Amino acid sequence: MQAFIIRRVLALIPTLIFASLIVFVSMRLIPGDVIDQMMAQNDVATSADRARVEASLGLDQPMYIQYFRWVGGILRGDLGNSLWQNTPVTRQLAETLPITFELGLLALIVALTVAIPIGIYSAMRQDTAGDYIARSFSLLMLAIPSFWLGTLVMVFPSVWWRWSPPLEYTPFFENPIANLSHMIVPAILLGLALSAVTMRMTRTMMLEVLRQDYIRTARAKGLAENLVIARHALRNGLIPVVTLIGLQAPLLIGGAVILEQIFVVPGMGLLLLEAVFARDYPVISGIFLVTGVAILLINLLVDLTYGFLDPKVRY
Amino acid sequence: MSEAVQSATATPLLLVEDLSVSFRTDRGTVRAVDSVNLHVDAGETLAIVGESGSGKSVTAMSLMRLVGDNGTVDSKRVLFDGIDLGALSEAQMRKVRGNRIAMIFQEPMSSLNPVLTIGKQVAEPMVLHQGLSWREARRRAVTLLQRVSIPDPEDRLDSYPHHFSGGMRQRVMIAMALACDPKLIIADEPTTALDVTVQAQILALLKDLTRETGAAQILITHDLGVVARYADRVAVMYGGRVVETAPAHELYANPQHPYTQGLMASVPSLDGDPGKRLQTIPGQPPDLANLPPGCAFAPRCPYARDECRQAPPPLEPIAPQHLRACYGYE
Ligand SMILES: Nc1ncnc2c1ncn2[C@@H]1O[C@H](COP(=O)(O)OP(=O)(O)OP(=O)(O)O)[C@@H](O)[C@H]1O
Ligand SMILES: [Mg+2]
């Protein structure tokens, strides 16, 4: 088990190097650059000024030097400073990452509590009205973009009932209730989007499992249907669902960027958006890097969960 | 059920009268089992034989009332140990399954749950039906595994099915079936998926264990060689009906239904003559969604007459304990 984790983490290294290259290069491909924007804002436009600013930010160096500097920084735990605020990127990430993490975790909880029971129900009542409703609901969730749903949730309640979701962020440890009442709406929207695919997968897998011979054995033992499901079917059915959840991690993060914007959640998504508008390379690169690492870790976690669910997988 | 059979044994352990099962399918209603009459005496082994699709498994599953959502079971009565199973509620029926009647299936590879330990799966019926704690049930599982000759049973409790060979898994299935000391064990082709040497071991084990515990057995097979060696009586099924039933030795010595005779001719005989060519019955098994009005075997029967094509012949005694559903061909 330990050896497995070490092996897996070592295997992440080439992936990370590759990811860092992509992040770095794509960053320089965003049209427009930070200097232009700074110049425009400060009304100074001589080419001497421009060169001075470039040099101070290290942007006058060739790309590969900039890359190695950046990577060297990463290895020392230094992601550089924001080009605009002059604060370390690591500090900005430390402030925003937990917030996005909380949003993602809440969304995942929402997704699983919605998707798994409904998926199981749908499979047990295959082709009944309940099954059709559940499946239509999941199709709907799949089709509706969460930014649209988010906008609706912002607009309509305020028009109809003069109520809108709270938009003021309070740190969780300061006031959990205020924090949750702010986070819960975006978490539900994000969770519903995630639940759509998970629900369909749970249903398909449960149907598959319920056809298996060992389910017939369980019934022939005299087990009631709920025990057949809970003890004999669920774990087998969930094994592939876990993988699917891992695969959806990028979707979760992408959705968080949008919903943080709509609901003014000061997480990494909001930071990213601001950074992109400002062409704040170090911040963007830092976020991408953290996101990449997060996705790799989620996949590692998925593999470990796999081993827990499926006795045939041993490390 | 005819007088002749009932008088032979006062109260059979299981008495099945007019059992029919039909399935709703895309192709219409499939009558998989049609007015089947059977009985099993305490402690005896009844073999049910027949070609693939003749309704053997469906008969077995319908005794347990586990035919699935698209199936309908009908019966005059299914008396088991004095209770009419047909009249039980689902909850009452669950107390019979795995407890008074246990089942063993054909596919040992897939009939055990891959994510649960052997110990848990063998212990489960005892926890369920006898109210034992998991701990106590596990302790008894060791004894059960010992009885089915699994080496080092204590160490194997925490193994998973994929650690076992097919034969070993079938032993585990048998241990599981024995867990609550059932009065009847239904083994649905328990050895078809195993190699020949293992087959013999498993069947011998089943025979020994049922003899030891006094449990009766319904042994479903399409192997007449198995029947000869392990069964006391035989019911031959064709197209969802029992076409002949007799004590095993009697059936071998004196098969009376043309289909049984055809089956006999299509297996290597036990008493030597390996050079004899095997015959197969010409023609196709019947389409259950579209059964002929008369005897289901008539289209393949060398003796079929007009009468045979009008109404199915009833199962009638032709000798003590020997019944056949045929208008005769003499
Ligand atoms: N759930 C079901 N839905 C529709 N038809 C079914 C169902 N179960 C069984 N049947 C049909 O009932 C018939 C009898 O099947 P059964 O499994 O009892 O045959 P069998 O005698 O056990 O054959 P085998 O030797 O292959 O096991 C088959 O034609 C099968 O297609
Ligand atoms: Mg069968």
Side-chain angles (χ1 to χ4, degrees):
Chain A
M1 176 85 170
Q2 236 167 356
F4 169 79
I5 296 179
I6 292 171
R7 241 183 308 128
R8 278 299 308 266
V9 170
L10 287 180
L12 293 185
I13 291 173
T15 320
L16 276 174
I17 293 178
F18 188 62
S20 74
L21 264 172
I22 291 185
V23 165
F24 190 82
V25 171
S26 61
M27 203 62 31
R28 300 309 192 264
L29 293 179
I30 305 176
D33 75 26
V34 65
I35 316 282
D36 293 338
Q37 292 199 11
M38 285 181 165
M39 303 303 238
Q41 272 192 13
N42 298 329
D43 273 344
V44 278
T46 67
S47 58
D49 286 337
R50 192 189 162 90
R52 196 170 39 75
V53 177
E54 258 184 7
S56 77
L57 296 178
L59 294 178
D60 55 340
Q61 306 287 330
M63 277 254 253
Y64 71 91
I65 303 234
Q66 293 185 34
Y67 174 73
F68 283 117
R69 274 194 188 166
W70 182 59
V71 171
I74 295 172
L75 293 179
R76 291 191 308 273
D78 173 13
L79 292 174
N81 286 354
S82 158
L83 297 184
W84 288 84
Q85 282 144 13
N86 227 5
T87 48
V89 172
T90 41
R91 194 200 300 159
Q92 289 188 329
L93 289 176
E95 277 163 12
T96 56
L97 182 61
I99 300 173
T100 302
F101 180 76
E102 183 195 343
L103 181 61
L105 194 65
L106 286 176
L108 192 64
I109 293 170
V110 170
L112 296 184
T113 42
V114 170
I116 289 177
I118 298 184
I120 295 170
Y121 171 88
S122 230
M124 287 177 72
R125 302 266 185 286
Q126 188 188 9
D127 294 333
T128 61
D131 179 29
Y132 283 120
I133 293 171
R135 282 158 71 189
S136 315
F137 172 74
S138 106
L139 260 187
L140 198 70
M141 282 303 129
L142 210 57
I144 298 180
S146 48
F147 70 84
W148 189 64
L149 207 58
T151 316
L152 290 188
V153 170
M154 289 299 292
V155 173
F156 281 99
S158 68
V159 171
W160 290 335
W161 308 298
R162 314 221 149 276
W163 177 88
S164 68
L167 293 179
E168 194 157 345
Y169 178 75
T170 324
F172 183 81
F173 292 105
E174 204 167 283
N175 183 347
I177 302 213
N179 171 278
L180 286 178
S181 59
H182 177 206
M183 297 289 262
I184 197 67
V185 178
I188 287 175
L189 294 179
L190 194 53
L192 286 180
L194 191 66
S195 72
V197 182
T198 314
M199 185 191 299
R200 295 181 82 78
M201 183 75 164
T202 306
R203 175 180 182 274
T204 310
M205 289 326 299
M206 286 307 279
L207 282 176
E208 181 62 34
V209 167
L210 288 175
R211 268 202 299 273
Q212 299 297 313
D213 291 330
Y214 54 82
I215 296 298
R216 181 181 60 185
T217 307
R219 291 189 178 128
K221 275 180 178 178
L223 289 172
E225 199 58 19
N226 55 4
L227 266 181
V228 172
I229 299 283
R231 196 179 288 159
H232 288 266
L234 200 54
R235 220 169 117 186
N236 285 292
L238 286 189
I239 292 172
V241 174
V242 168
T243 320
L244 179 79
I245 292 169
L247 289 176
Q248 282 185 303
L251 188 92
L252 192 73
I253 294 170
V257 172
I258 292 160
L259 288 164
E260 283 181 7
Q261 163 84 345
I262 297 175
F263 290 90
V264 207
V265 177
M268 227 168 55
L270 202 59
L271 181 67
L272 176 67
L273 224 55
E274 287 164 2
V276 168
F277 284 133
R279 302 291 183 273
D280 199 340
Y281 302 139
V283 176
I284 305 176
S285 317
I287 291 176
F288 281 2
L289 195 73
V290 167
T291 312
V293 171
I295 289 173
L296 293 176
L297 287 180
I298 289 172
N299 281 306
L300 181 61
L301 201 67
V302 164
D303 285 355
L304 292 177
T305 314
Y306 229 90
F308 170 75
L309 286 174
D310 185 352
K312 270 182 240 166
V313 178
R314 278 288 166 261
Y315 312 114
Chain B
M1 179 63 62
S2 74
E3 299 302 310
V5 175
Q6 277 208 5
S7 60
T9 53
T11 36
L13 174 68
L14 176 75
L15 176 64
V16 177
E17 291 185 348
D18 276 339
L19 176 74
S20 298
V21 183
S22 42
F23 292 102
R24 273 170 287 107
T25 68
D26 302 338
R27 304 194 307 126
T29 306
V30 170
R31 205 166 172 75
V33 174
D34 190 5
S35 318
V36 158
N37 292 309
L38 286 176
H39 74 110
V40 182
D41 291 326
E44 83 167 339
T45 295
L46 170 73
I48 301 182
V49 289
E51 285 172 309
S52 188
S54 54
K56 306 180 298 288
S57 299
V58 174
T59 302
M61 290 310 271
S62 68
L63 296 178
M64 296 284 258
R65 292 238 312 266
L66 284 174
V67 291
D69 291 338
N70 65 335
T72 321
V73 183
D74 248 328
S75 62
K76 193 159 132 215
R77 54 185 180 150
V78 178
L79 267 190
F80 171 73
D81 209 12
I83 327 159
D84 185 1
L85 297 184
L88 294 187
S89 69
E90 170 62 19
Q92 290 169 318
M93 193 61 216
R94 281 202 297 269
K95 296 204 176 99
V96 175
R97 291 182 200 133
N99 186 18
R100 319 283 310 281
I101 306 180
M103 260 188 109
I104 299 165
F105 298 99
Q106 176 175 346
E107 302 81 6
M109 288 307 189
S110 53
S111 291
L112 289 168
N113 194 323
V115 303
L116 298 179
T117 61
I118 296 303
K120 180 144 187 165
Q121 296 189 62
V122 175
E124 191 172 29
M126 296 181 277
V127 174
L128 185 70
H129 296 296
Q130 304 179 331
L132 299 187
S133 67
W134 280 103
R135 205 167 175 196
E136 175 64 17
R138 256 174 78 93
R139 220 176 44 72
R140 292 207 198 167
V142 177
T143 323
L144 284 166
L145 292 178
Q146 217 154 29
R147 274 171 70 193
V148 297
S149 310
I150 286 187
D152 310 320
E154 227 144 327
D155 302 334
R156 303 313 299 264
L157 279 186
D158 291 318
S159 305
Y160 289 90
H162 68 273
H163 295 134
F164 288 77
S165 67
M168 282 296 159
R169 287 186 216 191
Q170 202 59 301
R171 287 173 192 270
V172 172
M173 284 295 288
I174 294 172
M176 213 158 79
L178 291 175
C180 295
D181 239 327
K183 289 211 161 166
L184 174 65
I185 295 176
I186 303 176
D188 189 352
E189 307 199 25
T191 59
T192 311
L194 305 174
D195 19 7
V196 187
T197 46
V198 182
Q199 281 188 13
Q201 291 167 9
I202 295 287
L203 287 166
L205 177 70
L206 263 174
K207 179 127 195 156
D208 289 348
L209 288 171
T210 45
R211 195 171 289 151
E212 230 172 77
T213 60
Q217 193 186 174
I218 295 181
L219 179 62
I220 295 175
T221 175
H222 46 233
D223 183 345
L224 281 171
V226 166
V227 171
R229 199 167 299 176
Y230 300 99
D232 300 313
R233 274 185 327 110
V234 189
V236 181
M237 284 189 78
Y238 186 81
R241 289 174 154 259
V242 174
V243 294
E244 183 165 6
T245 157
H249 56 86
E250 161 85 6
L251 193 87
Y252 271 88
N254 194 12
Q256 285 296 315
H257 194 283
Y259 175 63
T260 316
Q261 292 167 355
L263 272 186
M264 294 288 189
S266 65
V267 287
S269 90
L270 283 178
D271 21 278
D273 199 5
K276 199 180 106 191
R277 264 195 62 197
L278 298 182
Q279 293 179 321
T280 49
I281 309 171
Q284 292 294 314
D287 175 8
L288 295 175
N290 204 357
L291 279 175
C295 173
F297 189 59
R300 297 168 79 182
C301 181
Y303 312 106
R305 295 173 273 138
D306 281 350
E307 193 186 1
C308 304
R309 298 189 185 90
Q310 260 127 45
L315 188 64
E316 282 171 339
I318 49 174
Q321 293 226 53
H322 194 158
L323 292 84
R324 128 190 123 160
C326 180
Y327 291 120
Y329 44 84
E330 289 74 27

